[in-house]
Amino acid sequence: MRHRLISLLMCVLGAAASAAPAEAPPLAQRPRIGLVLSGGGARGLAHIGVLKVLERQGVPIDAIAGTSMGAIIGGLYASGMTAGEIERELGRVDWNRLFETRVDRQELSQRRKEEDFSVGSGLELGLTTEGEFRMPQGAVSSRGLETLLRRYTLPVRTVSDFDRLPIPFRAVATDMESGQAVVLDHGDLALALRSSMSVPGVFPATELDGRVLGDGGLVNNVPVDVARAMGADVVIVVNIGTPLARRDTLGSALGLTAQMINILTEQNVQRSLATLDPTRDLLIAPDLGELTAGDFERAPEFITLGMASAQAQTERLAALGLSPADYAQWLADRHQPDTLPPALDFVGFEGTALTNPARFEAQLLSQPGRAFDAEQAADDARRLAASGDYLRADYRLLSTPSGATGLVFDLEDKPWGPNYLRIGLGLSTDFDGHSAFNITLSHNRHWLTDNGTEWRNTLQIGEVPRLSTELYHPLAWTIGLANDWFVAGWAEAERRMLSLYAADAGPEVGQLRRTTGRIGVDLGQPWGSLGELRLGIVHHTGRTEPTLLAADYQGPTRNETWNEQAVRARVVIDQLDYAWFPQAGYRLEAEAQVGQRQYEGHQTLARVEGELTAARSWGPYTLSVLGRLQGSDARGNAIVGQYTLGGFHQLSGYRPQQIAGNAVAFGRLNGYMRLAQPPVFARGLYVGATLEVGNAWASRKAVDLDRWRTGSSLYVGADTGIGPMFFGLTWAPEGEVGLALVVGRP
């Protein structure tokens, strides 16, 4: 989905305006050469190939002006990196993960991971403290790109005047309020490069010097005039362009919007190219064919095509080249000497008004007194971003007038916080009269106190009405350690309709209404990004009422009411890379309760529940394994057991809740293959099959390991912005053949 959006919208790229000429003494008597690199998303990777040929021909560059991706490649080259170094560094980038809207799931806190299961939707809205509803500004995150640019530009971190870079440089952006071109010639180089690539609708805009900046391609995608203003006598222009879309892509609002931006961009490109002097200036226009602005994973192809296009101009480039000795001298003049990482005198935080990141300062890898480490700083920024509170989580290494060296984390609060809303959809049908529909609304209020207190609420309406709330308060008992204690008070209530089946998974003989409520208090400890432990007390009350019974039904017919009080221990370890259709990782969830039950007198309560999921992939193929054990003391002659099996992926081929008891064992082997071209609305599209085995017994003592039921399914699935979707064929030897459509958690 991210690449599709980038392909459609990242065609926006450029800028204009003027800047003061830069002074740079020439080597011998030669013209001053300016390099202009255009925008075009992933197509801009072709600039690297052109730079490699310029180096081979010994062509010195005296000034660089770039827009969007051209600004990024040009800015890195101007900072002292060679074409080979840029190629090597960008070749290591996992572009799919670079633009993820959040950090890797394994790095999230357990609270954030649990939201994937409780709601399922990845769409997040927000409510500001002023009561205004807002939505995210971009379709993808720029956080990974910012961290990357920060690391690459560290050697020139002390240079604020872009004329003092190894090669004088300008980046072009657009003032999104006035529509004017903005030429960035000073300040933070990494932020300037990021600002030039703020593609509207793809990346959030940046704010710099009081201006909201968007992609420069909107106004000047090939900034020839900027290079001339820098004193260039000869201009080498690399225009990678973005071809206009075909007619068959114009059938949607998104397609038409992207085409409109392409047209406007192409108009300013043609105006810039018309100013070139064909006898003096040089235009290089790589033929990139059908490669799109979103094809970042095809970087080697872009670089090869860029080299081929530049090599076709070898004769003219040779006329601009220096002798080997002079070119070696030019390289030496722009070389940045290696420096030892400085020791940090302080660590600070800037930019946030809603949160208190200093709360986690002692838990960061970067600490005063230690040498600065770029990888550790990036890990710390990513750890702060994992809280889900920030639009940007960047860092800067700076020196104070007194000579102290500090690491400052530059944080930008999400404009749609601190109340975060997610809406989930649950729908299922077996096309044989059994259907369910639920809508879930989740509300999270972050940072109620400086300690990081959170209030989480969930409301579900539909087939299973449900309401839950939790107040979570970190205690800050162990400042300086990686883990912290917390206390959480919570409550939930639910009403669910149950189908009652005859013994041994027989036909349906009635319907029940079960209403339950639970309230508890936990003392817990988060285990970093690994999981969490909770110890607490819980009170559980419930009532089961028959609402419809068959005439020949022979079992209990009374209403049942029970109350339970127990102490509990719960542990969750979650390292799945995705909640739905995981490609790798594992998740363990286990809980034990001991207490008393009031049901037809006082009874001892003992309950143990556990579930383990593990996934591993080989290329596009994934094997996922799930195992579940549940056991609880029976409630005497209860009308129905406490646990059920049946339904899609819960013993496919049986009806939902068709198998019930007070002890359950279940296992599922799930193999699926990710298809190469998922639809634009989904992270992935899959075809898969499951083999399931399990059963339920009246009590733990009645468990018979020789008696198992099996089920299976073939399905097509998708991991979408509103949650997982499945359409499948189900079958069980003792059940039946059926169809299933499921949206949400099976």
Side-chain angles (χ1 to χ4, degrees), residues 547-562:
T547 59
L548 181 65
L549 296 174
D552 57 350
Y553 172 69
Q554 301 296 317
T557 60
R558 65 190 183 284
N559 294 341
E560 298 174 350
T561 302
W562 69 92

Side-chain angles (χ1 to χ4, degrees), residues 486-718:
F486 66 85
V487 62
W490 53 273
E492 62 184 24
E494 177 185 282
R495 173 169 289 180
R496 180 184 297 270
M497 300 302 297
L498 301 176
S499 294
L500 181 63
Y501 292 88
D504 201 28
E508 187 174 2
V509 294
Q511 291 187 343
L512 314 172
R513 180 170 58 237
R514 175 176 288 175
T515 304
T516 59
R518 297 201 306 162
I519 185 169
V521 177
D522 292 328
L523 177 67
Q525 186 184 58
W527 292 341
S529 59
L530 182 65
E532 73 173 20
L533 168 70
R534 291 190 178 218
L535 304 172
I537 57 175
V538 57
H539 176 78
H540 183 193
T541 183
R543 181 178 177 85
T544 301
E545 306 167 272
T547 59
L548 181 65
L549 296 174
D552 57 350
Y553 172 69
Q554 301 296 317
T557 60
R558 65 190 183 284
N559 294 341
E560 298 174 350
T561 302
W562 69 92
N563 287 278
E564 298 174 350
Q565 299 83 35
V567 295
R568 74 166 187 163
R570 173 180 168 81
V571 62
V572 179
I573 298 174
D574 190 341
Q575 289 293 288
L576 292 177
D577 56 353
Y578 297 100
W580 312 112
F581 303 99
Q583 310 296 297
Y586 59 91
R587 173 184 167 89
L588 170 66
E589 181 178 1
E591 180 171 337
Q593 296 183 13
V594 177
Q596 293 287 323
R597 177 189 294 119
Q598 289 80 48
Y599 174 78
E600 297 182 344
H602 288 275
Q603 303 174 357
T604 300
L605 168 66
R607 178 177 290 124
V608 177
E609 301 171 353
E611 182 173 291
L612 174 66
T613 303
R616 184 176 179 183
S617 295
W618 298 265
Y621 303 99
T622 300
L623 184 64
S624 174
V625 180
L626 178 144
R628 182 191 308 145
L629 294 174
Q630 298 169 305
S632 179
D633 293 314
R635 289 196 299 268
N637 190 27
I639 191 171
V640 66
Q642 299 177 54
Y643 306 112
T644 63
L645 287 175
F648 186 70
H649 283 191
Q650 301 302 315
L651 212 53
S652 301
Y654 290 90
R655 300 288 180 89
Q657 310 147 15
Q658 190 171 2
I659 304 164
N662 296 297
V664 162
F666 175 71
R668 180 176 67 224
L669 190 65
N670 187 3
Y672 42 92
M673 178 183 72
R674 180 169 181 167
L675 302 182
Q677 293 294 330
V680 71
F681 63 86
R683 175 184 69 86
L685 183 65
Y686 305 86
V687 294
T690 66
L691 178 62
E692 304 150 42
V693 59
N695 208 350
W697 297 271
S699 67
R700 291 186 304 235
K701 295 180 180 179
V703 172
D704 182 0
L705 297 181
D706 293 329
R707 183 71 176 97
W708 295 97
R709 302 178 187 275
T710 59
S712 59
S713 72
L714 296 172
Y715 66 90
V716 176

Side-chain angles (χ1 to χ4, degrees), residues 4-5 8-9 245-260 680:
R4 298 286 183 87
L5 289 169
L8 291 171
L9 296 177
R246 299 185 303 271
R247 182 169 182 169
D248 58 4
T249 68
L250 305 181
S252 66
L254 186 63
L256 287 171
T257 300
Q259 185 77 328
M260 176 187 68
V680 71

Side-chain angles (χ1 to χ4, degrees), residues 99-442:
F99 297 127
E100 290 280 1
T101 55
R102 69 179 187 184
V103 301
D104 290 346
R105 186 175 181 276
Q106 295 98 322
E107 299 183 39
L108 300 177
S109 69
Q110 192 56 41
R111 290 184 61 76
R112 301 294 171 258
K113 293 174 184 174
E114 289 302 314
E115 293 172 6
D116 293 339
F117 295 104
S118 63
V119 182
S121 169
L123 302 177
E124 183 181 77
L125 309 176
L127 182 66
T128 67
T129 53
E130 292 79 22
E132 180 183 354
F133 279 98
R134 291 186 180 178
M135 297 182 65
Q137 297 176 332
V140 299
S141 172
S142 63
R143 183 180 53 253
L145 179 62
E146 289 162 2
T147 301
L148 203 67
L149 295 176
R150 180 67 57 196
R151 179 163 63 86
Y152 292 160
T153 58
L154 278 174
V156 293
R157 63 185 180 277
T158 61
V159 178
S160 59
D161 181 353
F162 295 170
D163 279 335
R164 301 188 62 182
L165 291 169
I167 300 176
F169 172 72
R170 302 289 186 270
V172 182
T174 300
D175 188 320
M176 299 304 291
E177 291 183 282
S178 68
Q180 299 298 310
V182 178
V183 178
L184 304 174
D185 60 2
H186 68 280
D188 184 332
L189 179 60
L191 183 56
L193 302 183
R194 160 68 179 87
S195 298
S196 183
M197 198 174 171
S198 298
V199 182
V202 177
F203 294 126
T206 63
E207 187 171 342
L208 188 63
D209 297 331
R211 294 179 294 197
V212 178
L213 300 182
D215 195 285
L218 294 169
V219 290
N220 194 355
N221 200 40
V222 183
V224 175
D225 57 334
V226 177
R228 294 207 193 282
M230 297 173 73
D233 301 311
V234 175
V235 176
I236 299 175
V237 175
V238 185
N239 178 30
I240 46 86
T242 299
L244 297 181
R246 299 185 303 271
R247 182 169 182 169
D248 58 4
T249 68
L250 305 181
S252 66
L254 186 63
L256 287 171
T257 300
Q259 185 77 328
M260 176 187 68
I261 295 174
N262 285 345
I263 292 172
L264 295 174
T265 302
E266 186 61 22
Q267 289 177 351
N268 76 61
V269 167
Q270 293 305 317
R271 286 195 297 269
S272 295
L273 296 182
T275 66
L276 296 178
D277 183 343
T279 64
R280 180 184 57 181
D281 302 322
L282 178 60
L283 173 63
I284 299 175
D287 182 5
L288 303 180
E290 296 299 317
L291 293 174
T292 73
D295 288 332
F296 285 96
E297 72 283 355
R298 302 176 71 176
E301 296 177 58
F302 284 116
I303 295 172
T304 298
L305 292 172
M307 291 181 62
S309 181
Q311 287 169 345
Q313 305 272 9
T314 298
E315 184 175 342
R316 294 199 59 187
L317 291 175
L320 298 174
L322 298 175
S323 68
D326 282 346
Y327 190 68
Q329 181 61 51
W330 179 81
L331 289 175
D333 291 342
R334 69 186 289 265
H335 175 69
Q336 291 290 304
D338 295 331
T339 57
L340 293 175
L344 297 177
D345 296 304
F346 64 91
V347 173
F349 306 88
E350 292 181 356
T352 176
L354 299 176
T355 72
N356 178 31
R359 162 82 171 76
F360 306 108
E361 180 177 349
Q363 301 174 17
L364 301 179
L365 298 173
S366 304
Q367 293 291 323
R370 298 179 185 174
F372 168 76
D373 185 292
E375 292 296 333
Q376 289 184 352
D379 287 344
D380 289 335
R382 192 161 51 247
R383 181 177 288 107
L384 292 169
S387 68
D389 294 308
Y390 305 117
L391 185 66
R392 287 173 50 289
D394 197 3
Y395 68 88
R396 291 179 289 116
L397 195 62
L398 52 82
S399 298
T400 66
S402 63
T405 298
L407 177 64
V408 174
F409 291 95
D410 188 7
L411 308 171
E412 182 180 351
D413 296 324
K414 286 181 176 178
W416 59 94
N419 293 281
Y420 300 105
L421 307 175
R422 296 172 71 175
I423 300 176
L425 177 66
L427 181 151
S428 65
T429 179
D430 61 4
F431 300 96
D432 193 27
H434 293 79
S435 300
F437 179 77
N438 295 290
I439 295 178
T440 304
L441 173 64
S442 170

